[in-house]
Amino acid sequence: MSHDWAGTSLGPRHSWNPAVRAVVDLILASPVPMALACGEDLLLIYNDGYAELIGENHPTAVGRPAAEVFHELWHLPGVGNLLERIYRDGGTFLEKESTLPPVRNGGGIEQAVFTCGYSPVRDGSGGIVGVLAVAAETTHVTRQLQSLGEVAAALAGTLTLDDVARVSLRYALTTFDADRVAFAVDEGGGGWRMVRRIRGELIDEAE
């Protein structure tokens, strides 16, 4: 980190609390998106994975108060008050569906969903010196679950097995980006009919 820390409330890096230095070394070595909101100002120190998550907020977010970096969201419930409470009172928090931080690209904001864990960082005397945040993006999983819910609603309106096949094939083709999917329909009497979908074509074949 080449940031001029001497100009911040943390002071030059060689003067940092040993606990802060140890956590920062851990963060910088981790492939998982991690950040430390440090000191009374909750100054941000983070790794490359976290930098990707916050998009155009990087690199100016380094060494700045979290309240300034995320000013658009800071006053929302479960954002600024959460970090401040953990820094003040301790405790941990796991948020399974968080939209913090927003991903900024090309001047716009892309909403992404994360699972975020927050925990206090304590020094040798037990005092809290910062809040550690670990984030994992779950946007893809969330979208899949939403898509699955839409499919369930569509299936509820089906009347025939062929309708079920068409809904299922459309979902499979879109979700897995497949070139070819198939659905077996039981015709009774030991016979099966395959309904195949090939990049937009619906083909019925008896097998």
Side-chain angles (χ1 to χ4, degrees):
M1 292 186 301
S2 59
H3 188 76
D4 179 18
W5 295 103
T8 71
S9 58
L10 277 177
R13 189 170 181 179
H14 65 79
S15 68
W16 290 0
N17 186 290
V20 172
R21 289 204 302 268
V23 171
V24 169
D25 287 343
L26 171 66
I27 289 172
L28 296 180
S30 174
V32 177
M34 300 175 71
L36 175 66
C38 194
E40 293 284 346
D41 296 332
L42 297 176
L43 301 183
L44 287 175
I45 306 171
Y46 51 85
N47 61 11
D48 291 340
Y50 196 86
E52 291 182 9
L53 296 187
I54 64 176
E56 291 181 359
N57 279 323
H58 175 73
T60 57
V62 177
R64 288 176 57 203
E68 292 182 7
V69 176
F70 305 120
H71 62 92
E72 295 172 345
L73 300 173
W74 193 252
H75 297 293
L76 296 178
V79 183
N81 64 328
L82 172 65
L83 290 179
E84 291 168 350
R85 185 176 73 246
I86 293 175
Y87 182 80
R88 182 180 64 250
D89 302 327
T92 60
F93 187 79
L94 179 65
E95 189 172 14
K96 294 184 178 180
E97 290 192 4
S98 170
T99 55
L100 179 70
V103 178
R104 296 174 176 273
N105 285 308
I109 296 178
E110 297 178 10
Q111 290 297 329
V113 181
F114 304 89
T115 293
C116 296
Y118 303 91
S119 57
V121 175
R122 300 181 182 273
D123 61 16
S125 63
I128 297 175
V129 294
V131 178
L132 178 66
V134 181
E137 185 172 0
T138 56
T139 304
H140 181 64
V141 175
T142 301
R143 287 175 180 167
Q144 280 193 326
L145 290 174
Q146 291 173 341
S147 177
L148 190 58
E150 292 170 359
V151 170
L155 287 173
T158 57
L159 299 175
T160 67
L161 280 176
D162 281 346
D163 291 337
V164 172
R166 287 179 174 86
V167 170
S168 301
L169 291 175
R170 185 169 61 247
Y171 169 73
L173 203 66
T174 302
T175 301
F176 301 104
D177 193 26
D179 292 322
R180 180 192 299 263
V181 291
F183 189 93
V185 179
D186 185 0
E187 297 281 78
W192 292 83
R193 177 166 54 85
M194 298 297 295
V195 182
R196 293 195 170 112
R197 189 81 179 263
I198 304 174
R199 286 296 177 184
E201 296 182 38
L202 189 63
I203 303 176
D204 290 342
E205 293 181 357
E207 290 187 351

